[in-house]
PDB file of all heavy atoms in Angstrom:
ATOM      1  N   ARG A1271      15.594 -49.033 -26.089  1.00 98.00           N
ATOM      2  CA  ARG A1271      15.023 -50.342 -26.268  1.00 98.00           C
ATOM      3  C   ARG A1271      14.209 -50.895 -25.116  1.00 98.00           C
ATOM      4  O   ARG A1271      14.520 -50.564 -23.889  1.00 98.00           O
ATOM      5  CB  ARG A1271      16.201 -51.383 -26.520  1.00 98.00           C
ATOM      6  CG  ARG A1271      17.132 -50.998 -27.681  1.00 98.00           C
ATOM      7  CD  ARG A1271      18.166 -52.024 -27.874  1.00 98.00           C
ATOM      8  NE  ARG A1271      18.956 -52.224 -26.554  1.00 98.00           N
ATOM      9  CZ  ARG A1271      19.821 -53.204 -26.398  1.00 98.00           C
ATOM     10  NH1 ARG A1271      19.998 -54.125 -27.321  1.00 98.00           N
ATOM     11  NH2 ARG A1271      20.492 -53.313 -25.273  1.00 98.00           N
ATOM     12  N   ILE A1273      13.487 -54.102 -22.882  1.00 98.00           N
ATOM     13  CA  ILE A1273      14.221 -55.331 -22.573  1.00 98.00           C
ATOM     14  C   ILE A1273      13.547 -56.135 -21.497  1.00 98.00           C
ATOM     15  O   ILE A1273      12.712 -55.668 -20.740  1.00 98.00           O
ATOM     16  CB  ILE A1273      15.673 -54.937 -22.147  1.00 98.00           C
ATOM     17  CG1 ILE A1273      15.658 -54.089 -20.844  1.00 98.00           C
ATOM     18  CG2 ILE A1273      16.449 -54.344 -23.315  1.00 98.00           C
ATOM     19  CD1 ILE A1273      17.022 -53.936 -20.228  1.00 98.00           C
ATOM     20  N   ASP A1287      15.401 -50.137 -21.295  1.00 98.00           N
ATOM     21  CA  ASP A1287      16.864 -50.246 -21.247  1.00 98.00           C
ATOM     22  C   ASP A1287      17.498 -48.895 -21.015  1.00 98.00           C
ATOM     23  O   ASP A1287      18.101 -48.305 -21.896  1.00 98.00           O
ATOM     24  CB  ASP A1287      17.342 -50.839 -22.595  1.00 98.00           C
ATOM     25  CG  ASP A1287      18.908 -51.028 -22.591  1.00 98.00           C
ATOM     26  OD1 ASP A1287      19.484 -51.159 -21.476  1.00 98.00           O
ATOM     27  OD2 ASP A1287      19.532 -51.071 -23.664  1.00 98.00           O
ATOM     28  N   ALA A1304      19.842 -61.594 -21.257  1.00 98.00           N
ATOM     29  CA  ALA A1304      18.985 -60.395 -21.547  1.00 98.00           C
ATOM     30  C   ALA A1304      18.410 -60.477 -22.994  1.00 98.00           C
ATOM     31  O   ALA A1304      19.138 -60.931 -23.886  1.00 98.00           O
ATOM     32  CB  ALA A1304      19.719 -59.101 -21.262  1.00 98.00           C
ATOM     33  N   ALA A1346      18.587 -62.004 -28.221  1.00 97.00           N
ATOM     34  CA  ALA A1346      19.564 -61.824 -27.184  1.00 97.00           C
ATOM     35  C   ALA A1346      20.435 -60.572 -27.300  1.00 97.00           C
ATOM     36  O   ALA A1346      20.821 -60.207 -28.377  1.00 97.00           O
ATOM     37  CB  ALA A1346      20.415 -63.117 -27.051  1.00 97.00           C
ATOM     38  N   THR A1347      20.750 -60.002 -26.153  1.00 96.00           N
ATOM     39  CA  THR A1347      21.584 -58.763 -26.148  1.00 96.00           C
ATOM     40  C   THR A1347      22.443 -58.831 -24.920  1.00 96.00           C
ATOM     41  O   THR A1347      22.078 -59.317 -23.860  1.00 96.00           O
ATOM     42  CB  THR A1347      20.743 -57.532 -26.195  1.00 96.00           C
ATOM     43  OG1 THR A1347      21.711 -56.400 -26.205  1.00 96.00           O
ATOM     44  CG2 THR A1347      19.850 -57.375 -24.988  1.00 96.00           C
ATOM     45  N   ALA A1348      23.693 -58.324 -25.007  1.00 92.00           N
ATOM     46  CA  ALA A1348      24.572 -58.143 -23.865  1.00 92.00           C
ATOM     47  C   ALA A1348      24.891 -56.737 -23.531  1.00 92.00           C
ATOM     48  O   ALA A1348      25.359 -56.360 -22.471  1.00 92.00           O
ATOM     49  CB  ALA A1348      25.864 -58.954 -24.126  1.00 92.00           C
ATOM     50  N   ALA A1349      24.630 -55.804 -24.538  1.00 93.00           N
ATOM     51  CA  ALA A1349      24.964 -54.369 -24.372  1.00 93.00           C
ATOM     52  C   ALA A1349      23.808 -53.675 -23.713  1.00 93.00           C
ATOM     53  O   ALA A1349      22.802 -53.287 -24.380  1.00 93.00           O
ATOM     54  CB  ALA A1349      25.231 -53.775 -25.741  1.00 93.00           C
ATOM     55  N   LEU A1350      23.826 -53.504 -22.387  1.00 98.00           N
ATOM     56  CA  LEU A1350      22.714 -52.928 -21.671  1.00 98.00           C
ATOM     57  C   LEU A1350      23.230 -51.598 -21.136  1.00 98.00           C
ATOM     58  O   LEU A1350      24.387 -51.403 -20.744  1.00 98.00           O
ATOM     59  CB  LEU A1350      22.262 -53.811 -20.507  1.00 98.00           C
ATOM     60  CG  LEU A1350      21.757 -55.220 -20.901  1.00 98.00           C
ATOM     61  CD1 LEU A1350      21.392 -55.993 -19.649  1.00 98.00           C
ATOM     62  CD2 LEU A1350      20.542 -55.051 -21.805  1.00 98.00           C
ATOM     63  N   VAL A1351      22.274 -50.632 -21.045  1.00 98.00           N
ATOM     64  CA  VAL A1351      22.603 -49.310 -20.458  1.00 98.00           C
ATOM     65  C   VAL A1351      22.731 -49.400 -18.951  1.00 98.00           C
ATOM     66  O   VAL A1351      21.886 -50.030 -18.339  1.00 98.00           O
ATOM     67  CB  VAL A1351      21.528 -48.262 -20.839  1.00 98.00           C
ATOM     68  CG1 VAL A1351      21.706 -46.939 -20.103  1.00 98.00           C
ATOM     69  CG2 VAL A1351      21.472 -48.127 -22.342  1.00 98.00           C
TER      70      VAL A1351
END
Side-chain angles (χ1 to χ4, degrees):
R1271 301 181 304 169
I1273 59 169
D1287 182 24
T1347 182
L1350 300 177
V1351 174

